[in-house]
Amino acid sequence: YFVFIILLNFVFIILLNFVFIILLNFVFIILLNFVFIILLNFVFIILLNFVFVILLNNIITSLALNPHHSYLSASTGSRLAARTAGSKPANTPTNKETIVA
């Protein structure tokens, strides 16, 4: 009977330690995940601020360099080519298109 009680206590202690280790690992994993999520959010916020600062710097720089630039007035070619384009009529006049109905 005494040996049975010792064995039962030994099994109980082993099971109790096993449960304690499982719970301790579970708490450790939860804390580790919590720390990882906080660090990941911190890195994400730093990167987001870095990108925002770069974009804001580019906008401020472009406004400071050319504040009155409009993409609507962009053209290709030179002013001389545009000036001389309509000043010389063609040597042979072209025929008018006749509309046949």
Side-chain angles (χ1 to χ4, degrees):
Y1 181 76
F2 185 72
V3 173
F4 178 72
I5 291 177
I6 290 176
L7 285 175
L8 192 63
N9 282 334
F10 185 70
V11 169
F12 180 73
I13 290 172
I14 289 175
L15 286 176
L16 192 63
N17 283 333
F18 185 71
V19 169
F20 180 73
I21 289 171
I22 289 175
L23 288 176
L24 192 64
N25 283 333
F26 185 70
V27 169
F28 179 73
I29 288 172
I30 288 175
L31 288 175
L32 193 64
N33 283 334
F34 185 69
V35 169
F36 179 72
I37 289 172
I38 288 175
L39 287 176
L40 194 63
N41 284 334
F42 185 69
V43 168
F44 179 73
I45 288 172
I46 287 175
L47 287 176
L48 196 62
N49 284 334
F50 186 69
V51 169
F52 179 72
V53 166
I54 289 174
L55 288 175
L56 193 61
N57 190 18
N58 287 341
I59 291 171
I60 290 172
T61 304
S62 66
L63 288 176
L65 292 178
N66 197 358
H68 300 293
H69 179 73
S70 171
Y71 288 102
L72 296 176
S73 64
S75 63
T76 57
S78 63
R79 290 183 184 176
L80 180 63
R83 192 176 301 128
T84 60
S87 63
K88 297 179 183 176
N91 291 335
T92 56
T94 56
N95 293 332
K96 286 186 180 179
E97 256 185 62
T98 56
I99 300 175
V100 179

